[in-house]
Amino acid sequence: MLTKCADVLKELIRAFHVTDSVGSFLKLGIDLLSVRRLRYLPKSWYNQPRSVRLRDGTVLHYRRNQGDLWSFREVSLFECYRLPFDHRDGEPFKTLVDLGANIGMTSVWLYKRYGCPRIIAVEADATNCEIARRNFEANNVPVEIISAAIGPYDGEARFAKSGLSNVGRVSPEGATAV
């Protein structure tokens, strides 16, 4: 129990350090705390659109759900996609391809952190694509969004959404994804 409390406190401290205002911090902090108790909250709370501004000027749109908030934690609070080597002083990458772009947080973060003149974001879930588009537009990220699934063969596949926005999968049950 003490470890969980320490983890929550660590998240809140990081949220305070990355957000640009008390309002953004409170919004994000409440969402991070509340998402742990979704089953006790009214259904109207779940998937509500949210946005916060970070200290570096980044605006991130997300929904109140475990998948979007988990992505927020990974990308913005804990920088899980940080490269294992320093690339800031080098030539920018020419193209970034984000397979399974979800709501675009990783692409936005990589663009802001490392620079990249061309981004291709591939995402099979149409609702995730729409939020990714909002994140790219809000942050002037040069991107081509492809609404499709990725696999080893050309053709059609079925994509099954999940209650968590970041764990959809190719499955016989689901909507057709090209």
Side-chain angles (χ1 to χ4, degrees):
M1 178 69 166
L2 197 54
T3 304
K4 284 188 180 185
C5 289
D7 290 344
V8 169
L9 184 59
K10 188 185 303 182
E11 273 182 18
L12 292 174
I13 290 169
R14 287 178 187 253
F16 177 78
H17 287 290
V18 301
T19 52
D20 84 331
S21 68
V22 172
S24 282
F25 165 67
L26 289 175
K27 190 184 301 184
L28 180 59
I30 288 168
D31 291 346
L32 289 170
L33 290 171
S34 300
V35 77
R36 290 176 163 77
R37 299 291 178 238
L38 277 179
R39 64 179 167 251
Y40 304 115
L41 298 171
K43 294 282 184 207
S44 61
W45 187 91
Y46 195 74
N47 272 332
Q48 289 295 312
R50 306 288 272 180
S51 64
V52 294
R53 181 177 297 277
L54 305 184
R55 287 185 193 256
D56 68 358
T58 302
V59 174
L60 291 175
H61 299 277
Y62 63 95
R63 295 160 292 201
R64 282 178 160 169
N65 70 49
Q66 290 170 319
D68 285 7
L69 286 161
W70 183 258
S71 295
F72 200 106
R73 281 184 194 106
E74 283 183 347
V75 176
S76 297
L77 300 185
F78 295 103
E79 297 185 345
C80 292
Y81 297 95
R82 184 179 56 247
L83 295 177
F85 53 88
D86 190 18
H87 188 73
R88 289 185 199 180
D89 297 330
E91 186 176 322
F93 295 108
K94 300 209 182 323
T95 302
L96 165 69
V97 180
D98 188 351
L99 303 177
N102 192 258
I103 61 173
M105 284 190 187
T106 303
S107 292
V108 169
W109 186 85
L110 289 167
Y111 172 75
K112 293 270 190 171
R113 179 79 178 237
Y114 300 108
C116 191
R118 181 171 183 235
I119 297 173
I120 300 169
V122 181
E123 173 58 42
D125 184 324
T127 56
N128 285 348
C129 280
E130 183 53 39
I131 295 172
R133 187 176 330 283
R134 290 181 65 206
N135 280 323
F136 297 140
E137 288 172 1
N139 296 289
N140 298 314
V141 176
V143 66
E144 175 185 350
I145 301 174
I146 300 172
S147 183
I150 295 296
Y153 310 104
D154 288 343
E156 288 186 357
R158 294 190 154 302
F159 186 79
K161 290 180 163 188
S162 168
L164 300 175
S165 62
N166 60 348
V167 292
R169 61 186 167 70
V170 172
S171 168
E173 306 84 36
T176 300
V178 181

